[in-house]
Amino acid sequence: MNRVKILILSFCFFHFTFPKDHSFHSEFGLEWCYFVGFLESATGNQYGYELSFFRLKLSDDSDWEAEIFPVHFAISDFSNKKHKTSQTIKRSIGDLSGYSDQFIYSGDYHLNIISKDKFHLTAGSKSKNLSIDLDLKGSGKILVHGKDGISIKSNRNPNIFSYYYSYPRLITTGHLVLNGKQETIVSGTSWMDHEWSEKKSKSLPTLATGETGWDWICLSDSLGGDYVFFRFRESNSAFPEIFGTYRNPEGKTTYWKEPGQIQMEPIGHYWKSPVTKIEYPLHWKIKFPGGEWKVSPIFNEQEFDGSKTTSTIYWEGGVEAEDLSQKKSAKGYLELKGYKKSKDWWEF
């Protein structure tokens, strides 16, 4: 039995139980519950949103363990190519943040878990410039990644893993406020991602250590298929490893985990953020068994500067994709993490 199999057998196999597992898991060190979506208002405007709830367990030499709860929130105005963000970080003291089987909250950001297939999201409810109040309803078709929900991020180092599931195609309605203007959301679809990792609490989890980086994308296509592609780098110098999940319209799930099954490469010029000066590859070609996606951003300026809360700056935004050979299109969200500010010509 090789090393990979031995390590996998040492994991605690986790069988998801819903709705309980929609909430946070206190015994793990790192966790995030994440929503993105495409929304259409009664006025015909098109929007995207991101709302990410994080939990990180800290520990010192005593028995006392603290949890912190960062939140990242953004709305992309696709019709006018504008992007606005907000964030917070709270600790589990003074009733400023917390969680139970029915909810997760941190400051002015709330996830209510109504049932296995129903959620209510509120963010920035006290803000006159940036907020959402959304109802989400699913069909019951939760997408589990990897064997028994164990999502390996690296074949070279299988200790880097998470328990991972997604909930695509959540029907979404409600309200949003952007720059003081309230919009009624009459139709929309959201994608939920939930991952947790590491029972160790004495140090930062392996998945989140400083040099890791990844290119992640979720896509829902026009024929009823759902995709996740994940291009992971253990360090800036490491060769990327690529993994994928596909669920076809009939509900059959395929996992791509072997080297060479997926080719995911940036194409064209990188976009340089005028704010942080970081360069990001926003156009991608993804070849997978049976097809090829060409991915482009809906607009470029969808960077999130989370340095005040999670110490990360990344690109997170709505994208569109085409597979001309299969005559289908898709929409989704792309996340690019681990890119650094490029040096100016005078820097060495």
Side-chain angles (χ1 to χ4, degrees):
M1 184 177 290
N2 61 36
R3 178 175 175 268
V4 171
K5 290 182 179 178
I6 291 172
L7 282 168
I8 291 176
L9 287 174
S10 70
F11 296 155
C12 174
F13 288 101
F14 200 99
H15 298 283
F16 298 126
T17 302
F18 299 110
K20 182 178 179 181
D21 280 323
H22 287 324
S23 189
F24 281 154
H25 301 80
S26 61
E27 67 271 33
F28 289 85
L30 174 70
E31 187 162 12
W32 58 87
C33 187
Y34 161 99
F35 295 84
V36 292
F38 287 79
L39 309 173
E40 182 173 346
S41 73
T43 61
N45 287 327
Q46 307 288 323
Y47 298 95
Y49 80 95
E50 166 203 355
L51 181 58
S52 302
F53 297 87
F54 302 92
R55 183 186 64 83
L56 180 63
K57 181 184 287 188
L58 305 176
S59 180
D60 56 19
D61 292 332
S62 70
D63 293 332
W64 179 78
E65 293 181 334
E67 293 176 308
I68 58 173
F69 300 92
V71 177
H72 291 177
F73 172 44
I75 293 178
S76 293
D77 181 348
F78 294 143
S79 298
N80 297 295
K81 298 184 179 180
K82 301 292 184 181
H83 183 66
K84 194 172 182 67
T85 68
S86 180
Q87 59 191 299
T88 193
I89 183 168
K90 304 293 183 185
R91 305 185 77 167
S92 53
I93 56 176
D95 202 32
L96 298 175
S97 58
Y99 57 97
S100 72
D101 288 350
Q102 289 78 43
F103 60 82
I104 295 170
Y105 73 99
S106 182
D108 201 20
Y109 304 86
H110 298 254
L111 161 61
N112 288 93
I113 302 162
I114 299 169
S115 69
K116 169 180 172 287
D117 304 310
K118 290 184 180 181
F119 309 91
H120 185 78
L121 299 177
T122 56
S125 59
K126 299 176 183 177
S127 170
K128 297 180 180 179
N129 293 311
L130 187 70
S131 68
I132 56 171
D133 188 329
L134 300 175
D135 292 303
L136 285 65
K137 183 178 180 181
S139 63
K141 298 179 181 178
I142 291 173
L143 177 59
V144 175
H145 299 277
K147 180 177 173 57
D148 296 315
I150 297 173
S151 174
I152 303 297
K153 310 303 184 185
S154 169
N155 285 323
R156 293 192 294 264
N157 184 1
N159 283 312
I160 303 177
F161 77 99
S162 68
Y163 297 98
Y164 183 17
Y165 71 88
S166 301
Y167 205 152
R169 300 179 187 265
L170 293 159
I171 302 218
T172 306
T173 56
H175 299 86
L176 68 78
V177 173
L178 181 62
N179 295 325
K181 179 183 178 181
Q182 179 170 305
E183 292 266 47
T184 299
I185 302 305
V186 295
S187 66
T189 57
S190 295
W191 180 295
M192 175 191 186
D193 248 29
H194 192 176
E195 297 190 62
W196 57 96
S197 182
E198 297 289 338
K199 287 201 170 184
K200 302 173 183 177
S201 59
K202 293 292 183 183
S203 61
L204 283 174
T206 308
L207 186 60
T209 48
E211 292 300 314
T212 59
W214 56 73
D215 312 303
W216 171 94
I217 186 170
C218 67
L219 293 171
S220 292
D221 73 31
S222 54
L223 302 180
D226 297 308
Y227 301 77
V228 171
F229 299 103
F230 189 78
R231 185 176 184 260
F232 179 76
R233 302 177 300 281
E234 191 172 351
S235 67
N236 290 332
S237 60
F239 189 78
E241 298 181 82
I242 307 171
F243 304 86
T245 303
Y246 169 55
R247 183 172 63 192
N248 71 13
E250 291 73 40
K252 181 182 178 182
T253 301
T254 301
Y255 307 111
W256 295 307
K257 58 183 180 179
E258 300 301 327
Q261 284 186 299
I262 302 170
Q263 298 174 38
M264 182 177 175
E265 298 296 335
I267 55 177
H269 297 291
Y270 282 34
W271 172 74
K272 186 174 183 178
S273 166
V275 178
T276 65
K277 312 304 180 185
I278 297 173
E279 292 185 334
Y280 299 97
L282 301 186
H283 297 263
W284 292 81
K285 180 171 67 175
I286 305 172
K287 296 182 69 174
F288 58 93
E292 177 180 305
W293 289 115
K294 288 190 176 179
V295 178
S296 299
I298 296 176
F299 67 98
N300 292 342
E301 289 82 0
Q302 297 181 76
E303 184 183 44
F304 199 109
D305 185 350
S307 54
K308 294 180 180 178
T309 52
T310 60
S311 302
T312 55
I313 302 173
Y314 58 97
W315 195 94
E316 178 89 34
V319 295
E320 297 174 320
E322 286 188 316
D323 185 339
L324 298 179
S325 65
Q326 299 293 318
K327 296 183 179 180
K328 61 184 177 181
S329 61
K331 288 184 178 180
Y333 256 70
L334 171 69
E335 180 180 278
L336 306 172
K337 183 255 183 187
Y339 291 85
K340 305 296 183 182
K341 177 179 180 283
S342 58
K343 291 184 178 180
D344 291 310
W345 64 268
W346 61 83
E347 296 179 291
F348 296 95

